[in-house]
Amino acid sequence: MLQRFMALVFLFLGTCWGSPLLGQGEKGKWTVDDVIHTEYMSNVEFSPDGTMVLWSKSRAAEDKKKDKFVRDLYLTRLRDRTKDGFRTVRLTTGDDSDHTALFSRDSEDIYFLSGRDGGKKLWKMSVFGGEPQEVHEFKNGISNLEWLNDSTLVYVSNEGKTLQEQELEEKKDDVVVVEDTSSWKADRLYAFNVKEKHIRRLTDNEKPVQGYAVSRDGKYLAYVEAGSPHQPSDAQPKSKYYLKNLETGSVKQILQGLQTPRELAFTQDGKGMYFTAQLSSDPEWDGAGIGQLYYLPVDGEPRKVELNWENGVGGITVVGNDVVADLANRATMREAFYPRGGRGKEIALDSLKDHVSFLAFSEDGKQTVLRYSTASKLPRYYLADFSGTAVTNLREIVTLNEKLRKKDIARSEVIEWKGYQGEMVSGILYYPADYTPGRRYPLMLSIHGGPSSMDLDQWSERWSTYPQILSQRGAFVLKPNYHGSANHGLAYVESIKRNYYEPEMEDITAGIDRLIAEGKVHPDSIGSMGWSNGAILTTMLTVRYPERFKVACPGAGDVNWTSDFGTCSFGVSFDQSYFGGAPWDDTNGKNYNEAYLVKSPLFDLEKVRTPTIIFHGSEDRAVPRDQGWEYYRALQQIAQAPVRFLWFPGQPHGLQKITHQKRKMEEELAWIDTYLFGKERKDNPAFKEDSPLAQLLTKDTVARHGSLFGVMTDGVLLPEMVSLGKDTISIARFELTNAQYAAYKPNHSVPEGSENDPVDLSREEARTYLDWLTDRLSRPARFPSTKEADALQKKAHDSGAKENTLNYWAGYAITRDEVADLRKKVDELTTTLVKPVGSFAPVKVNGRMIYDLGGNLAEYAEQGHYGYSAYDFVDPATTEAPAETEHLGLRVVVEAVK
């Protein structure tokens, strides 16, 4: 399939517990980490024999210093079922991404590229197991693999460094000559025989190859050649498309006169290609428009495939000799099947309709892997049978985000309202977590980039937009598909050309007015956030409606269109399309193009009264990085509202470092908490969260009766119980204390000063206490089950060396061989090593603070015990609890009320 590297670049655009009783997050709340580390199945491919599926998933690098996401490869065997579904194995590990993976045509091997060893090697592994093997190293690089035949891969590379490049490198001369055609390196297409290790050049193009497609029989090669180094900026001259017959060597130019053809893919019989191209009123600038579907016979001219669908097509996938199309359907996508030469028909998806994305089809076209989600349903991935007109026999192929599925998820719906010129505008509305009809809530706009992008009724939570967190804070979230958005037809997407801001402002404010009129939103509690064009619109909203917005969080947005024209990587084509002409064009009797001034918020920022936090990456070329500086400096000098500017070093238009994504979200949420929700900021630059002071402050919040830990109920001191989640168990925050045990057994001896020490008990004494407590609570009180104790033991082992154990008393990293000698010194003591409960920092269990889990006394379980006493050694070589321990106490577990 054609890899598109050019065309219009849009403005942006814990520990798994075995026991379900211990697996829920704190009250189902979403965290920043939950959003950033959500899992997705991607790059899906069927094996040629249809028995396996290859896919990838990203994760954080294990070495946190690398501060990046990496991608691993996975293999799912469709003929190997387990009780949980299909057997899936992780194929690759490490802190380098593995990508561009392909099955061999006999389905026995997998070839892939990787960031390991400099990223210039082709790797291979057997589907039957074993370590990856290096196939060949390509000193000039390798990318974009496709099979030419059973033993030959096509790839993109170049001819290597020129003499001039080598000399400059030797001199450490890193000067860049901008858009220098004399040093423009031509990426070309090459063929590599994996058996003979033979390389041959397939194309002799003088300009870089931007993408290609190859027919399955290896006869035809279609590729696209870049127009110029400045083409990304001004869309001139246009890229050229070629079709090469690899048997005869003949080459012909194809697809002239079409705007930005993309997604070229050959039919299975190699007789033709499907592709899409844009329809717009300004193709000279690669202007935003709608997608149209075409078919090109290899021996003929392209012909348009009639979609019978007004809003156009998004993506396509060739299936056999036919094509599946994603039809633009406002706030959703509609899936349709178009047989070659026949009339298209919507694919029957029943309850999944308009919420499905096809990720891959088997070679015979009879199976598919699809993703299903809505704005309020996490993605699920299914293997299904495919007949062209229907999808049947859905089976979940892999389960991701199991922890997140236990979170509370905001209710959402697609809404529509009248906007610019009375036309209907669509949007996604998320409700507050505690929504009660008749009550008014704050509203946060989350505005998409583009502008010719869109928000769909599908799962969309990431560092730039996170409705779940805002919903649980008590706000409505509206994602409006303003005029200029894609998916709503040609007139809609083009309505803002030479009319920028006007339709969008009317659309968005009309959406706000509707929610206010319905009694949902409080008119004095409205904010806006967005990245790229979402930031551009957020900024203008605060300029034109300075009293309406209480908070603004723009990221990577323009404020000065005159400087954008020359410094944005696609500034000429974008600004020509949306503003009409260049900044120096004479308009309306002036020797400049006044649209660039009238439409630039910079010249009206003195009107802003909204507290504004600005984000920008230092290497952003999509929205020039100095736009952030101009924005900040203006608001700082005007001094009519609080302003804060975060500059992310080394980051492009979209933030890539994990720490940067997290910092952006945390800063943004703190800003929203302060200015939208009116919460006083609790952060203190002099306060360290894991300091002794923090520990003491945390302990001050636990239940006490005077100086005694616990809850006084009907005059009886009982343990404080902490719920681990909805409809699950509660666990004692502390081990049972002397004072609490004495409330049950008055004759229990409690030396002065030891009231809050944990009580050392026999199993029988502990059991009789639990029986008594069960009667007091009218709920079953018990020991932790074996499964729960195993999970608690893992926590205890992780923290034990830092809690009240022999490791702590040693004062150094004691080894197993030194324990016996150290115990001899302990035997000399006349005092106890046991301390009052809560003397050490707590550990988190499902977000709740639990004390002394790793030390003080070991604790009884239903069978045996777990944890460590102050006299026990925490052995780093094993996670198991000591087989024998002399000091045992009780941590109460109470069943949930059914």
Side-chain angles (χ1 to χ4, degrees), residues 333-353:
M333 302 299 293
R334 182 72 51 85
E335 302 300 323
F337 179 76
Y338 292 85
R340 184 168 58 184
R343 185 178 178 86
K345 185 176 181 180
E346 291 183 18
I347 299 171
L349 289 162
D350 298 329
S351 61
L352 276 61
K353 182 178 179 179

PDB file of all heavy atoms in Angstrom, residues 333-353:
ATOM      1  N   MET A 333     -17.904   6.849  11.101  1.00  0.00           N
ATOM      2  CA  MET A 333     -17.504   6.316   9.795  1.00  0.00           C
ATOM      3  C   MET A 333     -18.425   5.156   9.455  1.00  0.00           C
ATOM      4  O   MET A 333     -18.713   4.320  10.307  1.00  0.00           O
ATOM      5  CB  MET A 333     -16.054   5.831   9.816  1.00  0.00           C
ATOM      6  CG  MET A 333     -15.026   6.889  10.212  1.00  0.00           C
ATOM      7  SD  MET A 333     -14.962   8.332   9.118  1.00  0.00           S
ATOM      8  CE  MET A 333     -14.329   7.600   7.613  1.00  0.00           C
ATOM      9  N   ARG A 334     -18.876   5.131   8.221  1.00  0.00           N
ATOM     10  CA  ARG A 334     -19.749   4.064   7.729  1.00  0.00           C
ATOM     11  C   ARG A 334     -18.930   3.149   6.815  1.00  0.00           C
ATOM     12  O   ARG A 334     -18.270   3.617   5.889  1.00  0.00           O
ATOM     13  CB  ARG A 334     -20.924   4.688   6.971  1.00  0.00           C
ATOM     14  CG  ARG A 334     -21.962   3.711   6.425  1.00  0.00           C
ATOM     15  CD  ARG A 334     -22.812   3.091   7.510  1.00  0.00           C
ATOM     16  NE  ARG A 334     -23.410   4.061   8.415  1.00  0.00           N
ATOM     17  CZ  ARG A 334     -24.574   4.701   8.184  1.00  0.00           C
ATOM     18  NH1 ARG A 334     -25.240   4.499   7.049  1.00  0.00           N
ATOM     19  NH2 ARG A 334     -25.062   5.536   9.075  1.00  0.00           N
ATOM     20  N   GLU A 335     -18.975   1.843   7.060  1.00  0.00           N
ATOM     21  CA  GLU A 335     -18.187   0.891   6.278  1.00  0.00           C
ATOM     22  C   GLU A 335     -19.003   0.340   5.111  1.00  0.00           C
ATOM     23  O   GLU A 335     -20.166  -0.042   5.283  1.00  0.00           O
ATOM     24  CB  GLU A 335     -17.718  -0.266   7.173  1.00  0.00           C
ATOM     25  CG  GLU A 335     -16.894   0.179   8.369  1.00  0.00           C
ATOM     26  CD  GLU A 335     -15.632   0.914   7.983  1.00  0.00           C
ATOM     27  OE1 GLU A 335     -15.009   0.544   6.970  1.00  0.00           O
ATOM     28  OE2 GLU A 335     -15.276   1.883   8.690  1.00  0.00           O
ATOM     29  N   ALA A 336     -18.374   0.321   3.926  1.00  0.00           N
ATOM     30  CA  ALA A 336     -19.062  -0.164   2.732  1.00  0.00           C
ATOM     31  C   ALA A 336     -18.113  -1.006   1.888  1.00  0.00           C
ATOM     32  O   ALA A 336     -16.892  -0.837   1.950  1.00  0.00           O
ATOM     33  CB  ALA A 336     -19.607   1.007   1.912  1.00  0.00           C
ATOM     34  N   PHE A 337     -18.700  -1.902   1.111  1.00  0.00           N
ATOM     35  CA  PHE A 337     -17.938  -2.825   0.254  1.00  0.00           C
ATOM     36  C   PHE A 337     -18.254  -2.524  -1.203  1.00  0.00           C
ATOM     37  O   PHE A 337     -19.427  -2.455  -1.592  1.00  0.00           O
ATOM     38  CB  PHE A 337     -18.321  -4.270   0.596  1.00  0.00           C
ATOM     39  CG  PHE A 337     -17.621  -5.309  -0.232  1.00  0.00           C
ATOM     40  CD1 PHE A 337     -16.287  -5.624   0.011  1.00  0.00           C
ATOM     41  CD2 PHE A 337     -18.292  -5.975  -1.246  1.00  0.00           C
ATOM     42  CE1 PHE A 337     -15.646  -6.594  -0.732  1.00  0.00           C
ATOM     43  CE2 PHE A 337     -17.652  -6.951  -1.996  1.00  0.00           C
ATOM     44  CZ  PHE A 337     -16.324  -7.254  -1.746  1.00  0.00           C
ATOM     45  N   TYR A 338     -17.213  -2.325  -2.005  1.00  0.00           N
ATOM     46  CA  TYR A 338     -17.382  -2.010  -3.427  1.00  0.00           C
ATOM     47  C   TYR A 338     -16.693  -3.081  -4.262  1.00  0.00           C
ATOM     48  O   TYR A 338     -15.463  -3.108  -4.369  1.00  0.00           O
ATOM     49  CB  TYR A 338     -16.791  -0.635  -3.748  1.00  0.00           C
ATOM     50  CG  TYR A 338     -17.553   0.508  -3.118  1.00  0.00           C
ATOM     51  CD1 TYR A 338     -17.285   0.908  -1.814  1.00  0.00           C
ATOM     52  CD2 TYR A 338     -18.560   1.175  -3.817  1.00  0.00           C
ATOM     53  CE1 TYR A 338     -17.995   1.934  -1.213  1.00  0.00           C
ATOM     54  CE2 TYR A 338     -19.274   2.204  -3.236  1.00  0.00           C
ATOM     55  CZ  TYR A 338     -18.983   2.581  -1.937  1.00  0.00           C
ATOM     56  OH  TYR A 338     -19.694   3.618  -1.350  1.00  0.00           O
ATOM     57  N   PRO A 339     -17.472  -3.982  -4.852  1.00  0.00           N
ATOM     58  CA  PRO A 339     -16.862  -4.988  -5.724  1.00  0.00           C
ATOM     59  C   PRO A 339     -16.376  -4.334  -7.017  1.00  0.00           C
ATOM     60  O   PRO A 339     -16.967  -3.357  -7.484  1.00  0.00           O
ATOM     61  CB  PRO A 339     -18.012  -5.966  -6.001  1.00  0.00           C
ATOM     62  CG  PRO A 339     -19.247  -5.150  -5.834  1.00  0.00           C
ATOM     63  CD  PRO A 339     -18.935  -4.130  -4.780  1.00  0.00           C
ATOM     64  N   ARG A 340     -15.303  -4.835  -7.579  1.00  0.00           N
ATOM     65  CA  ARG A 340     -14.771  -4.244  -8.810  1.00  0.00           C
ATOM     66  C   ARG A 340     -15.810  -4.342  -9.926  1.00  0.00           C
ATOM     67  O   ARG A 340     -16.309  -5.417 -10.244  1.00  0.00           O
ATOM     68  CB  ARG A 340     -13.476  -4.944  -9.220  1.00  0.00           C
ATOM     69  CG  ARG A 340     -12.826  -4.312 -10.450  1.00  0.00           C
ATOM     70  CD  ARG A 340     -11.430  -4.815 -10.660  1.00  0.00           C
ATOM     71  NE  ARG A 340     -11.350  -6.264 -10.819  1.00  0.00           N
ATOM     72  CZ  ARG A 340     -10.227  -6.950 -10.950  1.00  0.00           C
ATOM     73  NH1 ARG A 340      -9.057  -6.298 -10.899  1.00  0.00           N
ATOM     74  NH2 ARG A 340     -10.227  -8.257 -11.084  1.00  0.00           N
ATOM     75  N   GLY A 341     -16.147  -3.175 -10.441  1.00  0.00           N
ATOM     76  CA  GLY A 341     -17.115  -3.124 -11.522  1.00  0.00           C
ATOM     77  C   GLY A 341     -18.558  -3.199 -11.067  1.00  0.00           C
ATOM     78  O   GLY A 341     -19.473  -3.149 -11.892  1.00  0.00           O
ATOM     79  N   GLY A 342     -18.797  -3.309  -9.749  1.00  0.00           N
ATOM     80  CA  GLY A 342     -20.162  -3.433  -9.241  1.00  0.00           C
ATOM     81  C   GLY A 342     -20.560  -2.263  -8.377  1.00  0.00           C
ATOM     82  O   GLY A 342     -19.791  -1.326  -8.145  1.00  0.00           O
ATOM     83  N   ARG A 343     -21.758  -2.319  -7.882  1.00  0.00           N
ATOM     84  CA  ARG A 343     -22.301  -1.258  -7.052  1.00  0.00           C
ATOM     85  C   ARG A 343     -21.991  -1.518  -5.581  1.00  0.00           C
ATOM     86  O   ARG A 343     -22.087  -2.639  -5.100  1.00  0.00           O
ATOM     87  CB  ARG A 343     -23.817  -1.182  -7.256  1.00  0.00           C
ATOM     88  CG  ARG A 343     -24.494  -0.023  -6.525  1.00  0.00           C
ATOM     89  CD  ARG A 343     -25.979  -0.015  -6.834  1.00  0.00           C
ATOM     90  NE  ARG A 343     -26.664   1.048  -6.110  1.00  0.00           N
ATOM     91  CZ  ARG A 343     -26.767   2.299  -6.532  1.00  0.00           C
ATOM     92  NH1 ARG A 343     -26.203   2.646  -7.678  1.00  0.00           N
ATOM     93  NH2 ARG A 343     -27.408   3.214  -5.830  1.00  0.00           N
ATOM     94  N   GLY A 344     -21.619  -0.489  -4.855  1.00  0.00           N
ATOM     95  CA  GLY A 344     -21.257  -0.629  -3.459  1.00  0.00           C
ATOM     96  C   GLY A 344     -22.456  -0.890  -2.571  1.00  0.00           C
ATOM     97  O   GLY A 344     -23.595  -0.563  -2.906  1.00  0.00           O
ATOM     98  N   LYS A 345     -22.154  -1.458  -1.404  1.00  0.00           N
ATOM     99  CA  LYS A 345     -23.196  -1.753  -0.441  1.00  0.00           C
ATOM    100  C   LYS A 345     -22.622  -1.633   0.962  1.00  0.00           C
ATOM    101  O   LYS A 345     -21.481  -2.017   1.212  1.00  0.00           O
ATOM    102  CB  LYS A 345     -23.732  -3.169  -0.658  1.00  0.00           C
ATOM    103  CG  LYS A 345     -24.911  -3.528   0.241  1.00  0.00           C
ATOM    104  CD  LYS A 345     -25.457  -4.913  -0.078  1.00  0.00           C
ATOM    105  CE  LYS A 345     -26.647  -5.253   0.807  1.00  0.00           C
ATOM    106  NZ  LYS A 345     -27.189  -6.599   0.503  1.00  0.00           N
ATOM    107  N   GLU A 346     -23.438  -1.084   1.865  1.00  0.00           N
ATOM    108  CA  GLU A 346     -22.996  -0.986   3.252  1.00  0.00           C
ATOM    109  C   GLU A 346     -22.792  -2.381   3.842  1.00  0.00           C
ATOM    110  O   GLU A 346     -23.534  -3.312   3.535  1.00  0.00           O
ATOM    111  CB  GLU A 346     -24.019  -0.223   4.091  1.00  0.00           C
ATOM    112  CG  GLU A 346     -24.099   1.258   3.758  1.00  0.00           C
ATOM    113  CD  GLU A 346     -25.072   1.998   4.653  1.00  0.00           C
ATOM    114  OE1 GLU A 346     -25.415   1.441   5.722  1.00  0.00           O
ATOM    115  OE2 GLU A 346     -25.502   3.102   4.272  1.00  0.00           O
ATOM    116  N   ILE A 347     -21.778  -2.509   4.684  1.00  0.00           N
ATOM    117  CA  ILE A 347     -21.482  -3.780   5.341  1.00  0.00           C
ATOM    118  C   ILE A 347     -22.359  -3.925   6.573  1.00  0.00           C
ATOM    119  O   ILE A 347     -22.419  -3.024   7.409  1.00  0.00           O
ATOM    120  CB  ILE A 347     -19.990  -3.855   5.723  1.00  0.00           C
ATOM    121  CG1 ILE A 347     -19.125  -3.758   4.460  1.00  0.00           C
ATOM    122  CG2 ILE A 347     -19.690  -5.126   6.498  1.00  0.00           C
ATOM    123  CD1 ILE A 347     -17.643  -3.609   4.752  1.00  0.00           C
ATOM    124  N   ALA A 348     -23.033  -5.048   6.676  1.00  0.00           N
ATOM    125  CA  ALA A 348     -23.919  -5.285   7.820  1.00  0.00           C
ATOM    126  C   ALA A 348     -23.082  -5.537   9.072  1.00  0.00           C
ATOM    127  O   ALA A 348     -22.319  -6.505   9.144  1.00  0.00           O
ATOM    128  CB  ALA A 348     -24.822  -6.485   7.534  1.00  0.00           C
ATOM    129  N   LEU A 349     -23.224  -4.652  10.050  1.00  0.00           N
ATOM    130  CA  LEU A 349     -22.460  -4.747  11.283  1.00  0.00           C
ATOM    131  C   LEU A 349     -23.343  -4.769  12.527  1.00  0.00           C
ATOM    132  O   LEU A 349     -22.844  -4.743  13.649  1.00  0.00           O
ATOM    133  CB  LEU A 349     -21.485  -3.568  11.376  1.00  0.00           C
ATOM    134  CG  LEU A 349     -20.307  -3.622  10.397  1.00  0.00           C
ATOM    135  CD1 LEU A 349     -19.666  -2.251  10.260  1.00  0.00           C
ATOM    136  CD2 LEU A 349     -19.291  -4.644  10.862  1.00  0.00           C
ATOM    137  N   ASP A 350     -24.646  -4.777  12.317  1.00  0.00           N
ATOM    138  CA  ASP A 350     -25.603  -4.835  13.423  1.00  0.00           C
ATOM    139  C   ASP A 350     -25.308  -3.742  14.456  1.00  0.00           C
ATOM    140  O   ASP A 350     -25.185  -2.591  14.107  1.00  0.00           O
ATOM    141  CB  ASP A 350     -25.593  -6.236  14.056  1.00  0.00           C
ATOM    142  CG  ASP A 350     -26.030  -7.310  13.054  1.00  0.00           C
ATOM    143  OD1 ASP A 350     -26.852  -6.986  12.183  1.00  0.00           O
ATOM    144  OD2 ASP A 350     -25.526  -8.432  13.142  1.00  0.00           O
ATOM    145  N   SER A 351     -25.169  -4.123  15.722  1.00  0.00           N
ATOM    146  CA  SER A 351     -25.010  -3.127  16.794  1.00  0.00           C
ATOM    147  C   SER A 351     -23.659  -2.416  16.739  1.00  0.00           C
ATOM    148  O   SER A 351     -23.467  -1.397  17.402  1.00  0.00           O
ATOM    149  CB  SER A 351     -25.180  -3.790  18.157  1.00  0.00           C
ATOM    150  OG  SER A 351     -24.196  -4.787  18.351  1.00  0.00           O
ATOM    151  N   LEU A 352     -22.731  -2.932  15.934  1.00  0.00           N
ATOM    152  CA  LEU A 352     -21.412  -2.311  15.835  1.00  0.00           C
ATOM    153  C   LEU A 352     -21.366  -1.232  14.758  1.00  0.00           C
ATOM    154  O   LEU A 352     -20.347  -0.558  14.589  1.00  0.00           O
ATOM    155  CB  LEU A 352     -20.345  -3.366  15.531  1.00  0.00           C
ATOM    156  CG  LEU A 352     -19.764  -4.159  16.702  1.00  0.00           C
ATOM    157  CD1 LEU A 352     -20.836  -4.945  17.429  1.00  0.00           C
ATOM    158  CD2 LEU A 352     -18.665  -5.090  16.220  1.00  0.00           C
ATOM    159  N   LYS A 353     -22.450  -1.050  14.060  1.00  0.00           N
ATOM    160  CA  LYS A 353     -22.490  -0.130  12.926  1.00  0.00           C
ATOM    161  C   LYS A 353     -22.000   1.262  13.300  1.00  0.00           C
ATOM    162  O   LYS A 353     -22.327   1.798  14.348  1.00  0.00           O
ATOM    163  CB  LYS A 353     -23.931  -0.043  12.414  1.00  0.00           C
ATOM    164  CG  LYS A 353     -24.121   0.856  11.191  1.00  0.00           C
ATOM    165  CD  LYS A 353     -25.579   0.834  10.738  1.00  0.00           C
ATOM    166  CE  LYS A 353     -25.807   1.730   9.533  1.00  0.00           C
ATOM    167  NZ  LYS A 353     -27.210   1.693   9.072  1.00  0.00           N
TER     168      LYS A 353
END
